[in-house]
Amino acid sequence: MAQVSTERTRTADAALRARARSVMPAGMYGHLSVNLLPAEYPQFYDHAEGCHVWDVDGNEYVDLMCSFGPIILGHRHPAVEQAANAQLARGDTMSGPGRVMVELAELFVDRVDHADWAMFAKNGTVATTLWLPIARAATGRNRVLAASGAYHGAAPWCTIKLDGVTPEDRANNFYYTFTDLGSVERAFQEAGPEQVAAVFVSPFRHDAGHDQEMTDPDFARGLRALCDRYGAALVIDEVRAGFRIVHGGTWEPFGVRPDLSAWSKAIANGYPLGAVLGNDAMRVGAERIFATGSFWFQSVPMAASVATITALREENAVERMEAAGQMLRDGLADQASSHGIQIRQTGPVQMPNLSFVGDTHFERAMVFAAAAAEGGALIHPRHNWFLSAAHEADDIKRVLEATDVAFAAVRRRDVRD
Ligand code: PMP
């Protein structure tokens, strides 16, 4: 295992940031922008292997961000790379899909309970935005309900920033509060139940900047019942959590099947792919709409996806992420209490979220993330982290060495203030 360098320079990163500032908006945009992160956090990376990443200055980190979710088996997983390379040697962006598209659709239909069909695109936002026309075409209705504050992507109908968005872009949105069934009922009444095409929901609350909130199975079942009563489609955003919590749909253990679901991130271990899955009731909607993209039929990401989904089950990925995540959670809890710092750890252990009690402006979280990065652990101050099946006990030990120093830095800051 490569050693973490103790002296971290950032000159190459700084030079690239300066060049980017003159030729790119704000030097970087979206959730990968490090403008809101500590200075110690790298923006540019050189290479990655397993659960390790190296920035452009050669600093190594144990990667607990996993590219914000896409890396689930570890960077450059051999079986995935082999499948992708074999497909690349035959062709990628061809004048139509390869046979692998049908194989992949069959695999999704086999692995995800509610799915009778699959269609593919790129990115989570495209998958979540495809819900709307499909549900509308299937139900003949226009309005949709979504949880306030939930992240479903960067399209005008759902983006978290309102600059550049018109009220008309969101004229058909009505909002409820996650896990409050009464608020869903009220949102149905406000929208007019006979006008609601779909209810969008996250498998659990994972909004950035908030503690995570697990789903009460009764909420999931109640939501299904309300959708059935009013004839609306139940639609789950699996983009972030898909395949990390269970091998299949995240609400399957509750016995709740959605009508549609959107997937991306982890389904191809880093290769660009999104998917919409649906049941037979929604098939007619998917058949009626016009949906396409120049790169949607690339075969390489689909070959990577078949290999990823196959390896996820063969390698017991969920259990391994749980084991590593539990070790991390227990270690962090012990460290926080020995440093006398109050923290909250929320959400599933394989998608950890750590916040500091009373840290409204994320000041402690920033000190913590900065010191962790200096110690060679890449974590985020206000977004959940991600485990992969490549995280072994030794890697978690190294993360915990970094976080022990990071808690001490938080403590020093608290004493100083
Ligand atoms: N839904 C959820 C729950 C997400 O976490 C994300 C990405 N963070 C998206 C949708 C959008 O996916 P993408 O960034 O690939 O467009």
Side-chain angles (χ1 to χ4, degrees):
M1 188 190 298
Q3 288 302 304
V4 180
S5 65
T6 44
E7 286 195 15
R8 290 173 177 261
T9 56
R10 287 179 210 93
T11 48
D13 191 272
L16 282 167
R17 288 191 203 200
R19 282 167 59 194
R21 266 196 296 278
S22 64
V23 290
M24 305 191 72
M28 185 67 188
Y29 41 83
H31 75 292
L32 294 183
S33 166
V34 295
N35 294 335
L36 291 173
L37 289 170
E40 291 78 359
Y41 214 85
Q43 176 160 306
F44 293 96
Y45 295 86
D46 184 74
H47 64 286
E49 189 77 40
C51 66
H52 303 264
V53 286
W54 285 260
D55 67 21
V56 286
D57 288 286
N59 302 308
E60 188 217 352
Y61 306 84
V62 178
D63 182 11
L64 277 172
M65 292 315 295
C66 294
S67 318
F68 286 77
I71 301 302
I72 190 166
L73 291 163
H75 295 275
R76 296 170 41 71
H77 182 274
V80 178
E81 295 310 294
Q82 198 199 10
N85 289 335
Q87 181 59 54
L88 186 60
R90 292 199 300 277
D92 185 18
T93 308
M94 300 184 278
S95 296
R99 57 174 72 78
V100 69
M101 183 171 83
V102 182
E103 285 166 28
L104 182 58
E106 286 169 348
L107 188 58
F108 267 110
V109 167
D110 177 59
R111 298 295 169 89
V112 179
D113 267 4
H114 83 92
D116 294 320
W117 53 265
M119 59 188 281
F120 303 106
K122 299 289 168 192
N123 274 79
T125 301
V126 176
T128 57
T129 300
L130 273 171
W131 294 337
L132 292 148
I134 294 175
R136 284 175 180 153
T139 59
R141 303 162 169 198
N142 283 347
R143 297 186 163 172
V144 293
L145 312 188
S148 48
Y151 187 74
H152 294 303
W157 78 270
C158 63
T159 175
I160 48 173
K161 270 199 107 181
L162 292 176
D163 295 285
V165 173
T166 70
E168 291 79 9
D169 289 323
R170 293 170 180 235
N172 284 300
N173 292 11
F174 292 79
Y175 297 97
Y176 65 90
T177 305
F178 188 74
T179 78
D180 177 356
L181 272 181
S183 75
V184 181
E185 173 68 49
R186 285 193 295 280
F188 262 112
Q189 296 310 327
E190 199 192 334
E194 70 296 338
Q195 295 195 60
V196 177
V199 177
F200 300 141
V201 67
S202 308
F204 58 92
R205 188 177 180 199
H206 47 33
D207 312 340
H210 294 274
D211 288 346
Q212 299 190 103
E213 198 181 328
M214 298 306 276
T215 303
D216 179 346
D218 285 340
F219 171 73
R221 292 183 200 114
L223 206 56
R224 179 71 269 179
L226 277 176
C227 288
D228 291 343
R229 179 178 330 146
Y230 294 127
L234 176 62
V235 187
I236 300 195
D237 183 349
E238 296 274 13
V239 170
R240 196 179 313 177
F243 285 124
R244 267 200 164 78
I245 314 305
V246 294
H247 190 84
T250 305
W251 281 8
E252 284 175 21
F254 306 153
V256 175
R257 292 182 178 193
D259 299 291
L260 287 169
S261 54
W263 302 68
S264 187
K265 295 204 186 265
I267 61 174
N269 201 47
Y271 285 84
L273 193 67
V276 178
L277 310 183
N279 62 15
D280 278 330
M282 292 291 118
R283 194 189 287 262
V284 60
E287 284 171 352
R288 278 196 198 140
I289 65 162
F290 182 73
T292 187
S294 301
F295 297 101
W296 284 14
F297 301 97
Q298 285 180 316
S299 289
V300 168
M302 293 183 189
S305 184
V306 169
T308 300
I309 296 169
T310 305
L312 282 170
R313 191 157 82 182
E314 280 173 3
E315 296 180 17
N316 297 320
V318 169
E319 289 79 358
R320 290 166 67 161
M321 288 185 281
E322 269 176 339
Q326 192 63 53
M327 180 178 168
L328 178 63
R329 184 158 296 187
D330 294 345
L332 290 168
D334 287 349
Q335 288 178 345
S337 85
S338 72
H339 286 276
I341 296 174
Q342 282 187 293
I343 59 166
R344 280 189 300 262
Q345 299 197 75
T346 52
V349 292
Q350 56 274 54
M351 288 174 61
N353 197 76
L354 183 152
S355 64
F356 292 84
V357 173
D359 193 30
T360 323
H361 302 295
F362 299 97
E363 285 156 350
R364 290 191 193 117
M366 289 284 270
V367 170
F368 187 73
E374 277 295 284
L378 204 59
I379 59 165
H380 200 284
R382 57 177 89 197
H383 190 287
N384 72 270
W385 319 337
F386 298 87
L387 273 294
S388 77
H391 286 90
E392 304 282 353
D394 276 355
D395 303 305
I396 302 302
K397 276 188 206 140
R398 277 184 47 195
V399 170
L400 289 170
E401 282 165 26
T403 54
D404 201 26
V405 176
F407 277 123
V410 171
R411 184 90 201 122
R412 277 198 304 281
R413 178 202 165 272
D414 285 353
V415 170
R416 215 175 43 236
D417 289 9

